[in-house]
Amino acid sequence: MIEEGKALFLQIAEQIEDSIVDGSLDEETKAPSTNELAAFYRINPATAAKGVAMLTDKGVLYKRRGIGMFVTAGARDQLLTERRAEFADRYIDPLLAEARTLGLGPEDLAALLRERAAASTATDTITEGKNPA
């Protein structure tokens, strides 16, 4: 899990966010404590606390005094909205710029996406040992 060149507290925050987005950490459930995170990743508890504090400031986690940190209701939707915006900025905008350069319109892009998605699905099915038919 530890990536070189990226702050550990950011990686902790991203890992918790990933767990919320993929549903393994449900809304209104207890999040891992800073001590649990520190022990699991073998890092300083203050570093883990910084990642958790970042999520608290962002409104993804909240504290129940004497009990621990919990996932905020609506956190998954909030994170999905943020990630969709980041996805558009990182991938869609450059894709549209290149498509314009190549003279491709929205229908052309949609057709390419459908074609590639179908090919990817067929490859995944074959890779899993299933017959695509």
Side-chain angles (χ1 to χ4, degrees):
M1 154 38 215
I2 304 297
E3 291 178 39
E4 290 295 320
K6 183 181 254 188
L8 290 174
F9 77 93
L10 290 175
Q11 293 181 58
I12 296 297
E14 287 173 358
Q15 190 67 32
I16 294 169
E17 286 181 347
D18 289 345
S19 295
I20 294 168
V21 168
D22 72 18
S24 58
L25 189 57
D26 290 327
E27 295 176 355
E28 296 298 334
T29 60
K30 191 173 185 308
S33 72
T34 55
N35 288 333
E36 290 169 335
L37 292 166
F40 182 80
Y41 294 110
R42 293 189 167 130
I43 60 171
N44 187 311
T47 302
K50 191 172 179 181
V52 169
M54 189 175 115
L55 295 177
T56 303
D57 293 344
K58 193 174 178 177
V60 172
L61 298 178
Y62 68 96
K63 183 175 185 171
R64 287 188 188 166
R65 176 166 265 164
I67 300 174
M69 302 302 290
F70 287 77
V71 179
T72 304
R76 184 171 189 274
D77 288 337
Q78 174 187 340
L79 292 171
L80 286 172
T81 299
E82 288 174 13
R83 288 188 176 193
R84 286 179 182 133
E86 290 169 10
F87 178 81
D89 290 344
R90 187 171 180 181
Y91 299 104
I92 303 299
D93 292 346
L95 172 74
L96 291 171
E98 182 65 14
R100 276 191 298 275
T101 301
L102 298 173
L104 299 172
E107 296 79 19
D108 301 315
L109 285 175
L112 282 170
L113 284 170
R114 282 191 295 275
E115 178 184 306
R116 292 298 177 110
S120 175
T121 302
T123 302
D124 291 345
T125 302
I126 292 168
T127 302
E128 293 171 3
K130 299 176 186 172
N131 186 348

